[in-house]
Amino acid sequence: HPEVVEWLPRWVICGLTVEEMRDVPGWLAGVRGRLEELGAPRGDVRAAKVKHMLATLAEEPFTRKGWVFEIKYDGVRVVAEKRGEEVRMFGRSGEDITFRYPEIAAALHGLQIERGVFDGEIVAYDAAGRPSFGRLQKRMLLTRPRDVAVVMTRVPVRAVLFDCLSLEGHDLRGLPLLERKECLARV
C-alpha cells in the first residue's frame, strides 16, 4: 500500500527498500560490484576467530583529523556471522551466545546476503529509550532456551552493528573504517 511504503520504506527484517526487494539479485550484484571497486581482497573471515576491537580510554575528549568516534552503548559486545543459513554470535570471551538472543539471530538470518561478519553490541533499552546494562543482565547468563523465550518478551534486545569485517567472501578488515561502514550500510 503506498501510504505504508512512504511511512515504512524499508523491510524490517532485512532493511531493504521495496524497490530493492523487487530486484534482490540486482541489489546483490551492486553490493558485490562495490566490493570489487573497493579492492577488497577475497578471504574467509570466521567470527569465532575475530578478536573484538576494544574502546580506548582518553583523559579528555578531543577532535583529530582521521578519527571516528562511536557511541558507547552499555551492552554486550558481539561479533556476528551469517554464513548461508547459519548465524552465530560470539561474545568477548569467545563463547557462542547465539541462543541467548534468538531475535537478533533471526534478523541476521533475514539479511539478503550469503555471508558476512559484523562487529557490534547487543543492547537492552529502558522505558526512556536509554541503553540499560541492568536490564540486559537479565538475559546475559541464561542458558536454557525456555528461560530465554520467557525473558525475551520482557527484555527485548537490539543489535547495534557498527563495523562490517567481511562480506560475500571479501575480507574488509584492511579497508578504511568509513569504507567498511559504507558496506555495512548497504547491507
Side-chain angles (χ1 to χ4, degrees):
H1 203 269
E3 291 86 25
V4 173
V5 171
E6 242 178 71
W7 173 70
L8 187 64
R10 295 188 178 275
W11 188 36
V12 294
I13 299 295
C14 70
L16 297 180
T17 65
V18 171
E19 291 78 22
E20 291 166 335
M21 286 300 297
R22 285 188 185 120
D23 183 22
V24 170
W27 172 82
L28 277 172
V31 168
R32 291 175 180 138
R34 183 61 180 142
L35 292 169
E36 295 296 334
E37 287 173 17
L38 292 171
R42 289 270 173 198
D44 187 25
V45 178
R46 299 304 302 252
K49 305 262 188 221
V50 171
K51 292 192 186 313
H52 289 72
M53 293 182 219
L54 303 177
T56 302
L57 294 176
E59 293 296 320
E60 57 188 56
F62 66 93
T63 300
R64 193 173 299 148
K65 185 179 178 169
W67 279 72
V68 175
F69 295 88
E70 301 279 356
I71 294 170
K72 169 60 178 109
Y73 292 94
D74 209 4
V76 171
R77 283 296 297 278
V78 64
V79 173
E81 177 176 7
K82 178 182 185 203
R83 183 174 287 264
E85 295 297 311
E86 181 183 18
V87 171
R88 296 185 66 202
M89 299 181 292
F90 298 91
R92 280 179 56 182
S93 68
E95 178 186 9
D96 187 331
I97 59 174
T98 310
F99 69 96
R100 286 192 186 119
Y101 309 102
E103 65 268 56
I104 294 172
L108 290 167
H109 185 267
L111 294 175
Q112 296 298 302
I113 58 167
E114 183 64 27
R115 294 188 307 176
V117 177
F118 310 97
D119 189 2
E121 197 152 351
I122 296 172
V123 182
Y125 293 92
D126 65 17
R130 293 181 305 255
S132 170
F133 192 73
R135 282 182 55 85
L136 185 61
Q137 283 180 312
K138 294 175 178 146
R139 291 197 54 182
M140 288 171 49
L141 301 177
L142 298 179
T143 57
R144 296 185 347 203
R146 179 172 161 70
D147 294 339
V148 171
V150 169
V151 173
M152 71 186 254
T153 60
R154 292 191 314 253
V155 183
V157 293
R158 291 185 180 159
V160 178
L161 302 177
F162 40 78
D163 200 354
C164 185
L165 307 176
S166 173
L167 187 57
E168 297 296 82
H170 292 267
D171 183 347
L172 307 184
R173 295 175 296 177
L175 296 178
L177 177 61
L178 294 181
E179 290 177 357
R180 297 194 314 262
K181 285 183 173 292
E182 176 203 335
C183 290
L184 179 62
R186 287 176 176 266
V187 173

